[in-house]
Amino acid sequence: MTAIQASYCEELGHARAIRLWLFAVAALVFAMVLVGGATRLTESGLSITEWQPLTGTLPPLNEAQWQTEFEKYQAIPQYRQLNAGMSIAEFKTIYWWEWAHRLIGRIIGVVFFLPLVWFLWRGWIPRSRRAGLWIILGLGALQGGIGWWMVASGLVGRVEVSQYRLATHLVLACLIYVALVWTAARWQDKAVEPVSGQLNQAAPPIRAGAIALLVLLLAQIYLGALVAGLRAGHAYNTWPLIDGDLVPDSSRLMFEAPAWRNFFENPLTVQFDHRMLGYAVGLIALVHLFNVARLVKHGPIFTSAVLVTAAVIVQAALGIWTLLTVAALPLALLHQGTAMLALTTAIIHAAITVPSKVSAGKKYYRFARRKGP
């Protein structure tokens, strides 16, 4: 093996380590979204009434500390209006959900920051990649602040958090997840020809369709968060009709003033929009799959298009089932988890449809591998 070959083999090992790190952080973000969903569905998100990034890492360690935390919760409207008479044992149940959610957030910060510093110190991360990784770190720090901003909205004058802030919190988590998975998927081995090399002259519409699906899924997740924040899934629990009609009368959809508020505060309008976008995403996924099958026919891009379409259809079916059961907890959690799986397939599908530039060094290394020293 020549010195050049040895150097490229070493770089391959570095790339694999970095991808593994990014996928591990993404898995933690995935878990945090699921725990966050359980926290919301169990009405646990307001059980910790303070934001203590460092000292809050430890839970109450004795009964006196538990009693102090319980008294803080008893002072907010949610306890007085929804949970009056709750025992301290019941309080501990909801407290552990919120504490676990916050703990995973802290773990994500450590698991991302420390390896990042180490990889930078070792010189494993090219200069062109560093800004993106620092941006992801900054978004993670911002997410912690937005999480508290969301919780604070439910501590005074309300019994739940603002649906606007809930949706912002969830979508930012999803954007961080997209950035992690996208970066990992694009951090390709130097010895491997980019998957997008299989694309023919019709690649632009395929890439456009893949990216459109990714954007639409993020929009659908945002609408889902509004539905959750308004508890709109506990109303209008029929399908395919909603409030007795396929399309409700405009007087019921648009009675808030100004009109834009209906899209964020009217439970009927929000749920209707969530349904309609779900139908649109499913139709677009099917059309996109047909287009990929016609133009690409086989390979990773075709396979990932199949997976995206399947995930979208399953997610739509789960959404209907969840609605009909009045948002039963197990189904609601499964619905949220499947949304993240659909998002994952869409990220990877979009990432591999975007062509990568192959440097001369990469071409030389492939040639060297074929010819030998």
Side-chain angles (χ1 to χ4, degrees), residues 336-368:
Q336 183 160 336
T338 309
M340 291 301 293
L341 288 175
L343 183 63
T344 305
T345 60
I347 300 166
I348 294 174
H349 178 58
I352 65 176
T353 62
V354 177
S356 299
K357 293 181 180 179
V358 185
S359 69
K362 296 175 188 177
K363 292 179 180 177
Y364 171 79
Y365 178 51
R366 286 195 297 273
F367 175 82

Side-chain angles (χ1 to χ4, degrees), residues 233-286:
H234 293 269
Y236 315 111
N237 300 101
T238 58
W239 185 86
L241 302 182
I242 178 171
D243 200 26
D245 295 295
L246 282 173
V247 179
D249 187 81
S250 60
S251 63
R252 288 175 287 163
L253 289 173
M254 302 296 291
F255 67 84
E256 295 274 6
W260 65 263
R261 292 181 56 186
N262 289 279
F263 298 100
F264 302 94
E265 300 179 18
N266 181 341
L268 177 61
T269 306
V270 170
Q271 194 196 115
F272 178 71
D273 291 345
H274 190 50
R275 290 191 188 199
M276 293 300 105
L277 185 55
Y279 300 149
V281 172
L283 179 60
I284 291 170
L286 288 169

Side-chain angles (χ1 to χ4, degrees), residues 19-276:
R19 281 202 307 277
L20 180 62
W21 161 60
L22 291 171
F23 278 128
V25 178
L28 286 171
V29 174
F30 190 110
M32 189 173 185
V33 170
L34 294 187
V35 173
T39 300
R40 176 185 54 78
L41 290 165
T42 56
E43 303 287 356
S44 304
L46 299 178
S47 58
I48 301 178
T49 60
E50 296 175 331
W51 188 36
Q52 299 171 321
L54 296 178
T55 58
T57 303
L58 291 176
L61 300 176
N62 54 53
E63 287 306 312
Q65 292 179 354
W66 275 113
Q67 187 60 41
T68 298
E69 292 299 316
F70 190 28
E71 289 171 0
K72 292 175 183 177
Y73 179 66
Q74 289 174 316
I76 70 172
Q78 186 184 80
Y79 172 81
R80 296 193 300 269
Q81 297 182 38
L82 297 182
N83 293 324
M86 168 185 276
S87 68
I88 194 166
E90 292 170 325
F91 169 71
K92 288 180 180 180
T93 299
I94 63 173
Y95 184 97
W96 283 121
W97 275 116
E98 175 63 9
W99 180 82
H101 184 54
R102 297 190 186 194
L103 179 64
I104 295 172
R106 294 181 172 100
I107 291 172
I108 290 170
V110 172
V111 172
F112 187 85
F113 179 71
L114 293 183
L116 173 62
V117 171
W118 193 83
F119 289 139
L120 288 170
W121 175 65
R122 299 288 294 178
W124 289 14
I125 299 176
R127 289 185 181 276
S128 61
R129 300 274 193 172
R130 294 174 187 176
L133 295 175
W134 284 115
I135 289 172
I136 293 173
L137 180 65
L139 290 175
L142 177 63
Q143 176 72 333
I146 286 179
W148 173 246
W149 175 64
M150 177 190 69
V151 170
S153 69
L155 299 179
V156 179
R158 300 173 62 105
V159 296
E160 74 285 310
V161 300
S162 161
Q163 73 272 21
Y164 293 98
R165 301 187 189 188
L166 173 65
T168 301
H169 188 50
L170 177 58
V171 169
L172 181 55
C174 290
L175 288 174
I176 293 170
Y177 183 74
V178 169
L180 288 165
V181 176
W182 179 280
T183 303
R186 300 281 294 168
W187 209 295
Q188 296 169 342
D189 282 340
K190 293 181 180 295
V192 178
E193 200 65 65
V195 170
S196 51
Q198 71 172 281
L199 288 177
N200 57 20
Q201 59 185 0
I206 292 178
R207 287 197 296 272
I211 292 172
L213 277 173
L214 177 57
V215 172
L216 288 172
L217 281 171
L218 286 169
Q220 181 69 333
I221 288 171
Y222 179 84
L223 287 177
L226 291 179
V227 168
L230 291 169
R231 293 180 172 80
H234 293 269
Y236 315 111
N237 300 101
T238 58
W239 185 86
L241 302 182
I242 178 171
D243 200 26
D245 295 295
L246 282 173
V247 179
D249 187 81
S250 60
S251 63
R252 288 175 287 163
L253 289 173
M254 302 296 291
F255 67 84
E256 295 274 6
W260 65 263
R261 292 181 56 186
N262 289 279
F263 298 100
F264 302 94
E265 300 179 18
N266 181 341
L268 177 61
T269 306
V270 170
Q271 194 196 115
F272 178 71
D273 291 345
H274 190 50
R275 290 191 188 199
M276 293 300 105

